[in-house]
Amino acid sequence: MTNDTHVPVAFLGTGLMGEGMAHNILKAGYPLTVWNRTKTKTADLEAAGASVAATPAEAVREADVVLYCLSDDNAVEEVVFGETGVLTGARAGQVAIDTSTVHPETSRRQAEAYGERGIDFLDAPVFGSKAEAAAGELWVVVGGRSEVLEPVRPILAAMSQSIHHMGEVGAGATMKLVGNLVVSLQLQALSEAFVLAAKGGLELPDVHAVLSEIDIRSPLIDNVGQALIDRDFTTSFALSNLLKDTHLISRLGAEQGVPLAGLDAVRETVTAAVNQGHGDENASALIKAVEQQAGVQRDT
């Protein structure tokens, strides 16, 4: 399968992230069939040459490799195990790749179900947001056997800038939650820092210039910091998805006996911001809850 762009691929879930991922697989030359719950979100892919299926089962029937990028564990449950789900159309010899952010146990459950049908499975969630998905510059973390990964690596490479094999099934999902823990803590820290700085009489562009230069700098501080100054909460990664991820991380921490006090604070902030009605905005909108708690009034 390696470097063979004649391999038929199915991609399920062409939302905020999935659309860009699917486009890059199509651009790489792979015959592509797509499915999405809201069919209108497949229109651009169809115009670019992809076939559109009516159900997940139909989408995967002729594919050799099946990828999906879904919103949460419940969506994976429905799309994989449902009445017209992947498992009703899948066949032995295929490779299924879940790029969603889910609990490692969800990955292991899928692997078991696929294995019973002679289908290989990888959990391969991605780091990055809408822009990286569109540009084919995601970072992929993979759980599963190396002999399953290597033949499909070119397909994953079509949508990413790096691929990291983390270990057995579930390791990719675990790494994604570990990474999102760091992301969530950075968002909380940056939001608190900006609100504290503003109340302390500092100009945020000046604060951002310092934070982007000293030894705590990061791409998140650079990009999100500027967006916060501009009050740009255009969705690349929805706040509601961050809330979902904080629950997954908290569950994993409890299972492993690891206290996550910082995460607990983030979850409270994100919950407050979602309850204020900002769940569909970018995850950086958690600053609005910090501002409210601090008595800072902003227009948007």
Side-chain angles (χ1 to χ4, degrees):
M1 191 181 297
T2 302
N3 295 322
D4 182 1
T5 56
H6 297 291
V7 172
V9 177
F11 198 102
L12 317 176
T14 57
L16 195 66
M17 296 287 290
E19 182 178 11
M21 295 160 71
H23 267 294
N24 283 303
I25 291 171
L26 190 62
K27 289 176 186 176
Y30 293 95
L32 185 67
T33 300
V34 298
W35 171 88
N36 193 73
R37 183 176 287 103
T38 305
K39 189 176 179 182
T40 54
K41 293 184 178 180
T42 62
D44 288 346
L45 283 159
E46 185 174 22
S51 300
V52 178
T55 66
E58 178 185 322
V60 307
R61 198 160 283 130
E62 301 301 322
D64 287 345
V65 179
V66 177
L67 298 97
Y68 39 97
C69 183
L70 305 169
S71 58
D72 55 27
D73 297 65
N74 289 334
V76 170
E77 179 75 24
E78 179 182 348
V79 170
V80 174
F81 296 94
E83 185 176 341
T84 59
V86 173
L87 286 170
T88 65
R91 54 179 167 75
Q94 290 175 313
V95 178
I97 306 173
D98 184 5
T99 69
S100 317
T101 301
V102 297
H103 191 276
E105 185 55 39
T106 298
S107 298
R108 289 188 283 267
R109 180 166 179 258
Q110 291 181 81
E112 181 178 1
Y114 283 122
E116 291 172 352
R117 293 162 172 79
I119 301 164
D120 288 318
F121 174 78
L122 299 171
D123 55 301
V126 298
F127 287 105
S129 57
K130 182 179 178 181
E132 287 87 4
E137 295 179 350
L138 296 167
W139 299 268
V140 187
V141 288
V142 183
R145 303 196 319 275
S146 59
E147 58 266 34
V148 177
L149 169 60
E150 292 310 315
V152 301
R153 185 180 285 270
I155 298 173
L156 296 176
M159 61 186 200
S160 66
Q161 58 180 293
S162 67
I163 300 165
H164 305 268
H165 186 207
M166 304 307 299
E168 298 180 354
V169 167
T174 299
M175 182 64 233
K176 181 61 191 298
L177 296 183
V178 168
N180 279 12
L181 170 61
V182 177
V183 169
S184 66
L185 293 172
Q186 286 193 71
L187 287 171
Q188 178 85 9
L190 184 61
S191 297
E192 291 181 356
F194 269 26
V195 173
L196 179 62
K199 293 206 75 173
L202 301 179
E203 295 295 328
L204 291 187
D206 295 338
V207 173
H208 186 234
V210 174
L211 295 179
S212 297
E213 182 175 326
I214 60 177
D215 59 0
I216 63 168
R217 64 189 179 275
S218 74
L220 186 145
I221 289 175
D222 289 347
N223 299 328
V224 176
Q226 187 58 53
L228 291 179
I229 291 169
D230 297 337
R231 303 302 284 181
D232 181 1
F233 298 102
T234 303
T235 306
S236 292
F237 173 56
L239 186 66
S240 58
N241 283 336
L242 179 61
L243 180 59
K244 178 265 294 185
D245 289 352
T246 63
H247 289 305
L248 290 175
I249 299 164
S250 180
R251 175 183 164 192
L252 183 63
E255 291 168 350
Q256 299 300 325
V258 179
L260 301 173
L263 178 73
D264 293 340
V266 176
R267 192 169 68 251
E268 289 182 11
T269 304
V270 176
T271 299
V274 169
N275 289 342
Q276 290 171 19
H278 305 303
D280 291 334
E281 298 177 42
N282 199 54
S284 53
L286 69 83
I287 195 174
K288 296 182 179 183
V290 180
E291 290 168 341
Q292 184 183 65
Q293 292 160 5
V296 173
Q297 299 296 321
R298 299 297 296 264
D299 293 336
T300 56

